[in-house]
């Protein structure tokens, strides 16, 4: 079922509690009372359509929002994506990392395997951090600059030159998925690691990895299928409006 | 893979799309789907973006259909099903791995869908063997020790293409995609020793 503006926010969470961290990224926290989605969004000064697109994409992976996207700004999306990044790097990854350092110390965990699992996760952490840094330092600032120029074209020649030099297709082409290692880690824990004494903690780790994996999936989905098309449209507009502001590169 | 498969559906008719989803759901294989009902001008790009396991495609919606995007460097190729009427020209039909005739009967449609999903599941091989063969184990060891496909091909006197096929099968059987994941597997199963690998 699709989430719409007239549903109560409490019902939304009953429908899919995995949406909680998504709501948190909008600075929405529990304690909704009887308020509807529309009212909660209004209270928090959140663009209702944008909110609905994001939660529906998360709730139903078959939901393809492309057609309704023109109504909100790329900067909104970037803000959301950045918050998601910091949720991964500042909350989830340290949390799972902490659990992993605990689990490798528990009895039943073979001495030889301790560093193996820990290092695998550390490698993953580095990979994800690099991926995110690259986006936050490269493509996101580019999109924000592009939006700014389209909103108020009084910019320096340098800005125009820079914008002419880059295209979102470059991002799209080398945007790799960051879930592969997580996928592997899941199977290592499920299938190949010998049983350990603290099985509850191991269950918890696995659960966290599943959650993170599907959140990352959704995040990549938003980047590839929402951000890229929006920016493609912005680039079209940019090139048709400012064709002669370029430096012929 | 125990994972959900990813399906790309390109078909103008709403009823046919809904019908196909019903057909898919009745197979009991979890999936996620991206749907398009309008002409696609760059199929390559779309396939690269979505990275589907299965593409259900009505060729009418592709402008200039020359070749279907195949990605050799990728471990998992998409499997293409053409959504076509029975009188479509053979050169169009020939591009697809499978044709789904839109006026076929239910049992026929079910059979084709079931077969296609099974092929995707088993990485295009009919065998359902899940333990690694001797050859796969020797290749896995070399991968875990950091050899590239070409180095492995040289060492075992086989083609790089054959190495690739083995690697696909290893990944499918174990559910492990990355080199470092395979290394962890190899150490856990004492195929190689921790001291033999660097940087693990
Ligand atoms: Fe990202
Ligand atoms: Fe990304």
């Amino acid at each position: 079922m699709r989430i719409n503006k007239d549903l109560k926010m409490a019902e939304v969470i009953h429908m899919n509690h995995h949406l909680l961290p998504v709501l948190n990224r909008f600075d929405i926290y529990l304690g909704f009372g009887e308020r509807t989605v529309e009212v909660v969004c209004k209270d928090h000064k959140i663009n209702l359509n944008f909110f609905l697109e994001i939660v529906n994409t998360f709730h139903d992976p078959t939901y393809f929002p492309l057609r309704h996207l023109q109504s909100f700004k790329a900067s909104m999306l970037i803000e959301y994506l950045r918050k998601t990044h910091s949720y991964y790097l500042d909350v989830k990854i340290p949390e799972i990392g902490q659990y992993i350092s605990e689990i490798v110390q528990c009895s039943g965990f073979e001495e030889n395997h301790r560093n193996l699992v820990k290092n695998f996760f550390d490698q993953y952490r580095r990979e994800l951090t690099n991926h995110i840094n690259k986006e936050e330092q490269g493509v996101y600032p580019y999109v924000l600059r592009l939006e700014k120029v389209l909103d108020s074209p009084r910019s320096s020649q340098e800005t125009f030159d820079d914008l002419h030099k880059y295209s979102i297709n470059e991002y799209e082409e080398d945007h790799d998925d960051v879930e592969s290692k997580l996928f592997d880690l899941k199977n290592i824990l499920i299938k190949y690691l010998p049983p350990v004494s603290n099985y509850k903690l191991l269950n918890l780790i696995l659960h966290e990895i599943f959650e993170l994996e599907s959140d990352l999936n959704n995040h990549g989905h938003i980047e590839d299928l929402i951000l890229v098309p929006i920016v493609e449209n912005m680039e079209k507009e940019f090139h048709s409006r400012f064709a002669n502001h370029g430096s012929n590169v | 893979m125990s994972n959900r498969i990813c399906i790309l559906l390109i078909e103008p008719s709403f009823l046919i799309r809904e019908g196909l989803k019903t057909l898919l759901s009745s197979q009991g294989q979890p999936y996620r789907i991206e749907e398009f009902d309008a002409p696609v001008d760059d199929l390559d790009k779309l396939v690269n973006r979505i990275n589907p396991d299965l593409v259900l495609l009505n060729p009418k919606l592709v402008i200039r259909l020359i070749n279907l995007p195949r990605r050799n460097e990728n471990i998992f190729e998409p499997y293409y099903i053409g959504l076509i009427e029975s009188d479509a020209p053979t050169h169009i039909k020939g591009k697809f791995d499978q044709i789904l005739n839109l006026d076929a009967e239910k049992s026929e449609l079910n059979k084709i869908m079931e077969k296609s999903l099974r092929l995707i599941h088993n990485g295009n091989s009919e065998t359902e063997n899940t333990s690694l063969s001797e050859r796969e184990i020797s290749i896995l060891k070399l991968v875990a020790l950091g050899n590239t496909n070409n180095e492995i091909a040289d060492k075992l006197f086989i083609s790089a293409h054959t190495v690739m096929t083995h690697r696909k099968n290893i990944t499918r059987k174990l559910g492990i995609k990355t080199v470092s994941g395979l290394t962890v597997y190899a150490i856990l199963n004492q195929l190689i020793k921790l001291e033999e690998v660097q940087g693990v």
Side-chain angles (χ1 to χ4, degrees):
Chain A
M1 189 185 140
R2 188 153 302 172
I3 298 164
N4 63 57
K5 67 179 175 50
D6 299 319
L7 270 179
K8 287 182 183 171
M9 198 60 107
E11 288 170 335
V12 172
I13 296 304
H14 277 295
M15 252 164 81
N16 185 348
H17 69 273
H18 302 279
L19 281 166
L20 267 177
V22 178
L23 297 197
N24 296 162
R25 282 164 217 162
F26 286 97
D27 292 320
I28 301 175
Y29 305 95
L30 293 173
F32 312 120
E34 307 304 325
R35 284 175 299 161
T36 62
V37 169
E38 188 176 22
V39 173
V40 172
C41 281
K42 215 166 154 195
D43 290 351
H44 287 81
K45 300 195 175 57
I46 295 159
N47 179 315
L48 179 65
N49 283 327
F50 178 65
F51 178 82
L52 287 174
E53 296 304 347
I54 294 289
V55 290
N56 277 308
T57 325
F58 195 93
H59 175 58
D60 173 9
T62 69
Y63 179 73
F64 196 76
L66 201 53
R67 254 156 271 166
H68 331 243
L69 283 176
Q70 318 312 340
S71 63
F72 48 80
K73 307 212 120 256
S75 46
M76 262 181 216
L77 200 54
I78 301 267
E79 191 194 334
Y80 173 80
L81 292 170
R82 275 193 173 140
K83 283 203 169 142
T84 318
H85 284 168
S86 88
Y87 173 72
Y88 300 146
L89 293 187
D90 304 336
V91 182
K92 279 294 131 184
I93 292 287
E95 202 172 290
I96 300 173
Q98 178 59 36
Y99 292 152
I100 286 185
S101 350
E102 278 171 42
I103 196 86
V104 299
Q105 293 309 326
C106 88
S107 61
F109 215 102
E110 269 181 56
E111 189 74 44
N112 282 340
H113 298 160
R114 287 193 175 140
N115 281 334
L116 195 60
V117 173
K118 243 184 121 243
N119 291 348
F120 187 77
F121 186 73
D122 286 341
Q123 266 180 32
Y124 178 68
R125 184 203 309 253
R126 278 197 297 276
E127 228 176 76
L128 183 66
T129 310
N130 284 341
H131 180 104
I132 286 176
N133 286 345
K134 233 172 92 185
E135 286 174 344
E136 299 217 343
Q137 287 153 21
V139 71
Y140 291 3
Y142 163 76
V143 175
L144 294 177
R145 249 174 129 186
L146 186 61
E147 184 175 288
K148 216 170 147 197
V149 169
L150 290 174
D151 284 348
S152 65
R154 269 170 305 168
S155 297
S156 67
Q157 184 62 40
E158 199 196 336
T159 303
F160 281 104
D161 290 349
D162 285 354
L163 291 177
H164 273 287
K165 264 180 234 155
Y166 186 80
S167 145
I168 191 74
N169 290 327
E170 284 178 38
Y171 167 70
E172 196 192 350
E173 267 156 35
D174 64 33
H175 189 220
D176 39 354
D177 81 294
V178 281
E179 292 101 65
S180 301
K181 274 217 169 70
L182 223 45
F183 176 90
D184 290 358
L185 185 56
K186 245 171 35 186
N187 275 325
I188 289 169
L189 298 182
I190 296 174
K191 292 162 80 175
Y192 302 118
L193 195 72
V196 298
S197 60
N198 196 346
Y199 67 92
K200 284 181 186 161
L201 182 56
L202 199 56
N203 291 354
L204 182 63
I205 293 176
L206 196 58
H207 171 79
E208 289 289 336
I209 293 173
F210 271 108
E211 291 273 299
L212 179 61
E213 192 193 26
S214 82
D215 202 318
L216 281 164
N217 253 319
N218 176 258
H219 179 83
H221 187 93
I222 291 177
E223 286 175 335
D224 290 336
L225 300 170
I226 304 184
L227 181 67
V228 170
I230 286 185
V231 178
E232 273 172 351
N233 282 338
M234 291 163 70
E235 284 177 347
K236 270 186 210 145
E237 191 191 334
F238 175 76
H239 289 298
S240 69
R241 275 171 61 191
F242 306 114
N244 39 17
H245 280 67
S247 58
N248 302 324
V249 268
Chain B
M1 309 275 98
S2 52
N3 243 7
R4 276 191 299 188
I5 63 168
C6 173
I7 298 173
L8 171 60
L9 170 57
I10 307 174
E11 160 63 47
S13 153
F14 170 74
L15 280 176
I16 292 178
R17 289 201 311 276
E18 291 305 302
L20 284 167
K21 284 192 275 181
T22 308
L23 201 60
L24 281 162
S25 301
S26 69
Q27 301 290 329
Q29 155 78 44
Y31 64 89
R32 75 182 178 84
I33 194 162
E34 304 287 352
E35 292 177 57
F36 290 84
D37 60 3
V40 173
D41 44 48
D42 195 339
L43 187 63
D44 274 88
K45 203 165 143 186
L46 190 65
V47 165
N48 265 316
R49 197 186 267 181
I50 292 179
N51 214 351
D53 303 297
L54 171 64
V55 182
L56 292 157
L57 170 67
N58 185 330
K60 281 185 205 149
L61 283 192
V62 182
I63 303 157
R64 299 181 310 274
L65 179 68
I66 303 161
N67 280 312
L68 293 170
R70 307 272 175 186
R71 290 157 300 136
N72 286 327
E73 76 283 6
N74 194 305
I75 295 207
F76 300 103
E77 290 248 342
Y79 186 82
Y80 287 95
I81 298 184
L83 306 171
I84 307 184
E85 285 100 36
S86 46
D87 55 357
T90 15
H91 75 273
I92 297 269
K93 288 185 182 171
K95 296 181 195 301
F96 291 92
D97 298 310
Q98 178 70 53
I99 297 296
L100 198 62
N101 183 350
L102 292 180
D103 1 280
E105 285 182 29
K106 186 179 172 192
S107 61
E108 172 77 13
L109 292 170
N110 261 321
K111 221 164 76 193
I112 291 177
M113 204 55 97
E114 194 195 313
K115 183 181 149 213
S116 307
L117 290 180
R118 200 177 55 233
L119 285 174
I120 293 164
H121 225 69
N122 294 332
N124 296 351
S125 84
E126 298 274 0
T127 53
E128 189 75 58
N129 188 355
T130 48
S131 57
L132 296 181
S133 69
E134 296 271 317
R135 190 36 35 123
E136 283 161 358
I137 290 176
S138 48
I139 287 172
L140 171 62
K141 282 186 196 169
L142 291 168
V143 173
L145 292 172
N147 292 279
T148 65
N149 285 346
N150 284 330
E151 286 164 354
I152 296 171
D154 285 348
K155 283 186 182 155
L156 299 179
F157 305 106
I158 54 180
S159 73
H161 180 79
T162 310
V163 177
M164 206 55 199
T165 309
H166 284 302
R167 286 197 56 177
K168 282 185 204 173
N169 290 336
I170 294 169
T171 291
R172 198 190 70 239
K173 287 179 180 176
L174 302 181
I176 298 182
K177 298 176 184 174
T178 66
V179 172
S180 40
L182 291 171
T183 308
V184 172
Y185 172 87
I187 295 171
L188 286 177
N189 287 279
Q190 288 154 354
L191 297 175
I192 56 172
K193 290 206 184 70
L194 189 57
E195 305 82 66
E196 292 177 85
V197 227
Q198 293 189 326
V200 176

